[in-house]
Structures are given as structure tokens and as C-alpha cells.
Amino acid sequence: MNHAHRFACSAALFCALAVPGTAAVSQAEEAGAYVCPDFPEPTVSLEFGSRYKDGDKSRSDKDEESDAEVTAALKPSDDFVRGLTKVSNKALSDEEVRQEAALCVLRSVEAWARADAFSDMRTVTARISYPARVGGIAVAYGQVLPFVEAETESREAIDAWLRVRAEEMILFWNTEAPPLAQQANLRAWAAMAITQIGLILDEPAYLEWGLLSQQIILDTQDEDGSLPLEMRRGKYGLHYQLHALAPMSVTTALLCQAGYRNPEYYEALLEEAVAFSLEAIEDPKIAEEITGKPQTIKPGLDKQKNFVLAWLEAYLNFTFDPRLDERLESFRPLKNSKLGGDLTMLYRNNLDRPLGCRERDNI
């Protein structure tokens, strides 16, 4: 059993049998008891370079060996987010195991918090990559908070860890991040993490930073709705535009539901960026004309992987479009672990987050 799981089990009786592959687990599963998964060890240190070849200013020509190294380094934290989100969604959707699943998430996040996960980021590339993982953890933790209010000591440890990571991220992105990265998709993922932490900690300064980050990114946008810092990525241009809009849409929906809005000018820019992206998905040549390269995105919504479209649920929660909503129906449920898991459940079918926050707020 790994460290994270030992910690998770130490304070929860339902975890006592949760050792994959053992007869005890089989007995627990057969009896219908909830079994907390065995999660990866906390990621404390990360040290890796770029996925792309040296001298590639467009960051569109991947170095296969470096790409594999980065993927391997991030795999434990990505696996943790993926598994954690699955359990947090279970807590939301299944009343029979809600308390057990919520405690599983709490103890597992607490293990990473007490290990001071992500405290030793040794390269710039690591520092711009890890916020998306912190964001995924924060989203899952935030989902179960209503069910673990009595767990004061555990929550205090997690909240303190989240605050330290948030302060580090804000300082880095404000003062040390590479100039272009400060205005591109990785800034958007950091903003989503900071926003989610701000909601958990009730920290208005973090929510304002989320809004400011949206403005910084949208200020780069071209008149056609394309994001030039993503389009410069050649064949990956549309891919990275979508990669930016995913956290931006979730951040916008979360902030709107919490009563925070950007000026209408920036909301209109986001709407234009989404419109451009949807048109380009149907006809990637639109992006090809800008980048000069055939795109990696296949034409048509039906050709996209489920997780690529999941952010649209958050976007529709912010500003409802019946036609787009109908188009997405055949693809649901739409899921993306780093954005919170089942976004159809979280944003489309969630009575606590009514659809059309933008329009409702304008009434």
C-alpha cells in the first residue's frame, strides 16, 4: 500500500480493507462496501524540460524522447487527479456511498497536502505545468466539502497547502513566467486553479486574479476570435486554442455563479473565441489559413474525443445557447477529469448552478 493510501485509511474505517488485489477487498466489494482506491504517491518534485525540440520557437515540433519524459513525470499526478475526480463525482451522484467516497477524497488529498506536494518545482517548464494538476485536485476537493464539514483538522491542513500553492503560483505568473506563457493557455489553467482555491478559501483576491487572467489572455485575441499565441503553434494551433478555452470557460462559469463578472467587453471576446473555435472544429481549414499548417484536429464535433468538448458544458452554463445545447446532447455525458469530471452533471444538470448565468444576471 502506498503512502497516500495508508494516510487515507488511517482515519476511516471504510478504508481498512482497501488494498487492491487482496481477498479483503474482494470481500468488501462483494458485501457492497465502498472501497477507496489506491492512489499514487504524492508528487513533491518535478524536473523536466520542454516537450519540443531545441530552437523551436513556435513550440510545434515535438521531441519524442522529451515528450515521453514529460508525460512520465506528470503521470502520477495526472493519475491522481483522474482517480480522485472519479471518486468525488461518485460522492455527488451516489447517495448510498456519498460519505465514504467524500472521506476517501478528503484523506487522499490530505496525504498530498501533508507531503507538501508540488513544493519542489525545479524547472520553468515544471512550474508552468503543475497548476493544472493542483486545479484538478482543488476541484475534486471542493466537490466533497459539503459532506466533510466536521473534518476540521483535515480541512485545515488541505486549505493551508492550497493557500501556499496559490500564493506561489500568483507570484510566479505575475513576475517570473515567460512573457508569452503569461498570456497563453497555461496561464488559463493556473487561473482556473486559483479561482477554485479562492472559492474554497473564500478569498476574493484569488477570484479577482482569475478575472484579471482572463483579461490578459483575451487582450491578445484577434478580430476573428482566434488567439494568436495559440495559433503560432502551427499544426497544434486549434488544439491549443481549445486547450485555452477549456479552463477559461470553467473559470468564467464558476466566477459568474459566485457573483463575479468581467466587463461585457471581455465576455464578448470570450464569446467570439468560442464561436471561432466551433467553426474551426467543423472546418479546420479556418485555422490552417492562419497557421499555414494542416491542423491535428479532425473536422466535425462528432470526430472529437469526449474530453475535448467537455468545457462547452461550463460555457453553456455561463451563456446558454439552445442550438449548441441540442448539438451536444448526443455526446453527453461530457467528462474531463482536470475540469471536474462529469461536466454534464456539474453544469448542465445541476440545479445549484442554473443555466445561463450571464443572461440571468442581466435581468
Side-chain angles (χ1 to χ4, degrees):
M1 185 185 300
N2 65 34
H3 171 77
H5 191 69
R6 286 199 302 270
F7 198 102
C9 292
S10 65
L13 291 177
F14 70 89
C15 269
L17 303 178
V19 185
T22 67
V25 168
S26 299
Q27 293 171 6
E29 290 175 341
E30 289 175 3
Y34 183 79
V35 179
C36 187
D38 194 9
F39 289 114
E41 294 277 354
T43 295
V44 177
S45 298
L46 286 173
E47 183 174 13
F48 50 78
S50 173
R51 294 180 184 270
Y52 302 91
K53 292 182 178 179
D54 292 342
D56 177 23
K57 293 183 179 180
S58 69
R59 293 172 59 80
S60 61
D61 190 6
K62 287 186 178 179
D63 181 301
E64 291 186 9
E65 184 176 348
S66 296
D67 185 38
E69 289 175 355
V70 174
T71 299
L74 292 171
K75 187 178 187 302
S77 56
D78 285 341
D79 287 349
F80 183 55
V81 169
R82 191 176 298 110
L84 195 71
T85 303
K86 185 176 181 180
V87 178
S88 67
N89 281 188
K90 186 75 170 175
L92 291 174
S93 62
D94 191 341
E95 292 184 10
E96 291 186 3
V97 299
R98 175 165 293 161
Q99 195 63 28
E100 293 91 341
L103 284 171
C104 173
V105 170
L106 182 76
R107 304 303 179 204
S108 301
V109 175
E110 184 181 5
W112 279 56
R114 292 194 183 278
D116 206 11
F118 303 112
S119 59
D120 185 25
M121 301 293 98
R122 298 179 179 181
T123 62
V124 170
T125 311
R127 296 178 77 183
I128 64 178
S129 300
Y130 88 92
R133 284 77 194 172
V134 174
I137 294 169
V139 171
Y141 171 56
Q143 288 175 10
V144 304
L145 272 179
F147 315 126
V148 294
E149 291 181 348
E151 303 291 328
T152 306
E153 186 175 341
S154 297
R155 291 191 295 106
E156 287 178 351
I158 295 170
D159 290 355
W161 172 71
L162 288 174
R163 186 176 294 278
V164 170
R165 294 287 85 83
E167 293 293 335
E168 288 177 348
M169 285 189 280
I170 290 173
L171 179 62
F172 172 75
W173 285 98
N174 284 351
T175 64
E176 301 178 53
L180 294 182
Q182 288 188 25
Q183 306 170 77
N185 67 83
L186 290 173
R187 171 70 175 253
W189 285 96
M192 193 195 79
I194 297 298
T195 296
Q196 184 61 60
I197 293 171
L199 292 171
I200 291 169
L201 301 181
D202 192 20
E203 182 56 76
Y206 293 174
L207 305 183
E208 293 292 345
W209 196 84
L211 288 174
L212 175 63
S213 294
Q214 300 277 51
Q215 296 173 19
I216 289 172
I217 295 168
L218 292 169
D219 275 337
T220 70
Q221 186 168 303
D222 282 337
E223 292 184 3
D224 62 2
S226 64
L227 296 169
L229 294 181
E230 313 308 337
M231 292 295 113
R232 70 189 290 270
R233 307 294 289 273
K235 64 183 179 181
Y236 298 114
L238 181 54
H239 166 85
Y240 278 109
Q241 169 118 356
L242 297 174
H243 194 58
L245 287 176
M248 290 176 71
S249 296
V250 169
T251 297
T252 298
L254 289 173
L255 288 170
C256 185
Q257 294 290 352
Y260 286 76
R261 295 275 300 277
N262 258 322
E264 290 185 13
Y265 170 77
Y266 287 104
E267 293 183 348
L269 287 178
L270 178 63
E271 189 174 24
E272 291 167 8
V274 172
F276 170 88
S277 300
L278 291 173
E279 291 176 10
I281 287 175
E282 297 298 338
D283 182 10
K285 289 184 178 179
I286 294 172
E288 182 180 337
E289 291 177 0
I290 299 172
T291 66
K293 300 286 184 179
Q295 297 297 289
T296 58
I297 297 293
K298 296 180 180 179
L301 281 182
D302 60 332
K303 296 296 191 297
Q304 310 310 310
K305 293 182 178 180
N306 186 283
F307 74 89
V308 173
L309 300 177
W311 61 273
L312 286 167
E313 297 285 35
Y315 178 73
L316 286 173
N317 185 272
F318 169 63
T319 181
F320 189 67
D321 179 344
R323 293 178 61 186
L324 178 58
D325 182 62
E326 185 176 354
R327 288 177 68 193
L328 294 180
E329 187 57 40
S330 62
F331 307 122
R332 289 175 170 136
L334 291 165
K335 300 179 179 182
N336 184 312
S337 59
K338 287 190 179 71
L339 299 176
D342 186 342
L343 272 74
T344 299
M345 174 181 67
L346 296 173
Y347 293 98
R348 177 61 180 83
N349 302 329
N350 187 348
L351 296 179
D352 292 330
R353 291 175 177 164
L355 294 171
C357 179
R358 178 187 188 185
E359 291 77 16
R360 188 179 68 255
D361 203 42
N362 286 334
I363 295 176

